[in-house]
Amino acid sequence: MRVVSEGRRAALGTMVAVAALLWTANIPARAATASTAGTELAAKTCATLTARVDEIPGSGSVFLRSYDNAFAAGPTSEPALSVAAFTYDNALAVIALHACGQRAQALRIGEALLDAANLDRAGRKGRLRNTYRAGAQKQRPIPPMGWWDVVENRWLEDPYQVGTATGNVAWAGLALLTLAEATGEKRFREGAAGLARWVVEHAADPRGPGGFNGGVQGFDNASQALTWKATEHNTDLVALFDRLGGGGEWAAPAKAARGFLDALWAAGGDHFPVGTTPDGVTVSRATSGLDAQLWPLLLRDAPTGWRAALTYAERAHGVEGGFDFNDDRDGVWVEGTAQAALAYRAVGRKADADRLFADLLQDVSPGGFLWATRSAILTTGLAIGPESKTADFLYYRRPHLGATAWAALAAQGWNPFTGARLP
């Protein structure tokens, strides 16, 4: 879970107020360009996503590389990232390409997700790994990400990448449902249902606020349950169960995931805490997560009262020109800033969304992907895994597929949770 000291929040009180003034002061200066910024951002991001699929020869299934190393700053040589295709990023790309009107390209990635979900190497249907190898997917079953280490002279894998995070499974399910609704093909819906069943079977946790835990991490012969629960994961699941019909076999899981959100909202008062500690019961108040504030607002029939979380996000995560990942406010998280633009559109604050679109246009890298950050390094307050001793999950200034897909969704006004365009 996210771990960072709350002691910094009080010390930053004056800085928050100053940033709020800077935020407001930027609006008039950008008014002349903001009205067209969304259109321009949509065109650029849709063109880039389409081109990245088309540059892989053939018409078969593909996964897209999550980071464009050609233009990266910071560490670029890690084998675990060089050709990594994160499931979450690729699920977002499916939905974004559909919103862009590029069905053929969306289908190529969707076919890879469906193949990966239908038969994992462990022989289970419905399980997805967090990361696969980018490129054309010709092997069946599709193997998770790994690499040959020339120093150790053996094949290596990363315990997170071969694990299965609940939220990633949910996003893949939403991507498959998007294709099911677009094509009418039942196999995509059946694939999404299989993913949802895996979550219900392996991540349901009635302790405390109920809901679903983080999934599993580790190698196949030594995996361990991630017993914390995340607001973002349970938000994803509310959307997935709702899109699957919300009733029948999905009624109880939908109620459990939504009950978790209601319990966390009650605990936060005017915002959503990030989730629970590993005991699955205690609400984690060690840090704040931007996605936990924004994503619930995109749910169908989200209570109006939840919009207070957006005000909280502006106060706790807002920085000049965008939003930070967590509340230490040490830089702009580009992906999260795009999420905020979509949340603004969802609640009818179009001028605020336009302002962010103008800023996001400055984040387009030479290769077309948006940078993950505006600074060289961005902290998240998160640990990479249960064995981490520090908050070692960092973002670097790398061109990022996930940030690009979120920008496309926001600029197109497409809600990935409901599968519909915003008014």
Side-chain angles (χ1 to χ4, degrees), residues 42 99 341-342 345 357 406-416 420-423:
L342 185 59
R345 292 191 68 165
F357 292 149
W406 269 110
L409 290 169
Q412 290 282 345
W414 187 269
N415 187 333
R421 206 173 298 277
L422 295 169

Side-chain angles (χ1 to χ4, degrees), residues 106-169:
L107 279 167
R108 290 187 70 184
I109 305 173
E111 295 285 5
L113 286 172
L114 187 60
D115 283 342
N118 275 340
L119 184 58
D120 183 71
R121 72 179 180 190
R124 293 195 58 88
K125 282 194 174 184
R127 179 175 183 183
L128 274 175
R129 306 302 176 124
N130 291 327
T131 318
Y132 294 90
R133 193 173 186 86
Q137 303 299 307
K138 300 178 181 180
Q139 187 174 339
R140 299 293 183 276
I142 296 176
M145 175 65 189
W147 67 95
W148 182 261
D149 188 278
V150 294
V151 176
E152 297 191 31
N153 196 36
R154 64 188 180 102
W155 187 256
L156 295 180
E157 293 180 345
D158 177 86
Y160 169 79
Q161 292 185 350
V162 299
T164 303
T166 297
N168 295 341
V169 175

Side-chain angles (χ1 to χ4, degrees), residues 135-419:
Q137 303 299 307
K138 300 178 181 180
Q139 187 174 339
R140 299 293 183 276
I142 296 176
M145 175 65 189
W147 67 95
W148 182 261
D149 188 278
V150 294
V151 176
E152 297 191 31
N153 196 36
R154 64 188 180 102
W155 187 256
L156 295 180
E157 293 180 345
D158 177 86
Y160 169 79
Q161 292 185 350
V162 299
T164 303
T166 297
N168 295 341
V169 175
W171 274 103
L174 291 169
L176 294 179
L177 286 173
T178 299
L179 295 177
E181 293 159 5
T183 65
E185 294 188 39
K186 292 182 179 179
R187 62 195 180 97
F188 290 116
R189 182 178 178 82
E190 291 168 354
L195 292 173
R197 291 187 185 104
W198 188 93
V199 170
V200 172
E201 181 179 349
H202 293 88
D205 185 348
R207 296 176 300 164
F212 297 83
N213 66 30
V216 296
Q217 178 157 319
F219 306 112
D220 290 3
N221 60 352
S223 62
Q224 58 181 305
L226 299 173
T227 54
W228 45 261
K229 303 171 191 173
T231 298
E232 59 176 280
H233 288 187
N234 281 272
T235 303
D236 307 338
L237 291 171
V238 170
L240 177 61
F241 297 140
D242 180 62
R243 291 273 289 279
L244 284 168
E249 71 174 295
W250 310 117
K255 182 178 180 181
R258 176 55 192 269
F260 181 88
L261 294 187
D262 289 336
L264 269 288
W265 178 256
D270 65 345
H271 70 284
F272 288 95
V274 293
T276 74
T277 62
D279 67 10
V281 175
T282 306
V283 173
S284 176
R285 303 183 187 277
T287 189
S288 179
L290 180 63
D291 46 11
Q293 314 313 320
L294 302 178
W295 292 6
L297 305 182
L298 301 177
L299 292 172
R300 185 176 63 86
D301 299 328
T304 303
W306 285 3
R307 296 185 182 184
L310 187 51
T311 303
Y312 167 86
E314 291 170 336
R315 181 176 72 249
H317 296 263
V319 295
E320 185 174 2
F323 289 83
D324 189 12
F325 189 105
N326 61 350
D327 54 354
D328 66 2
R329 302 176 65 251
D330 64 343
V332 172
W333 181 37
V334 175
E335 177 186 333
T337 299
Q339 294 169 14
L342 185 59
Y344 277 140
R345 292 191 68 165
V347 302
R349 293 173 58 177
K350 184 177 182 298
D352 289 315
D354 286 342
R355 175 166 43 80
L356 292 183
F357 292 149
D359 286 314
L360 289 167
L361 278 172
Q362 309 308 310
D363 295 312
V364 179
S365 74
F369 276 177
L370 272 66
W371 300 102
T373 70
R374 290 188 192 146
S375 55
I377 300 175
L378 187 73
T379 61
T380 67
L382 292 172
I384 291 176
E387 305 303 322
S388 299
K389 303 301 182 182
T390 62
D392 53 358
F393 174 26
L394 305 172
Y395 276 105
Y396 295 92
R397 187 170 168 78
R398 294 188 178 100
H400 183 210
L401 173 61
T404 308
W406 269 110
L409 290 169
Q412 290 282 345
W414 187 269
N415 187 333
F417 284 165
T418 63

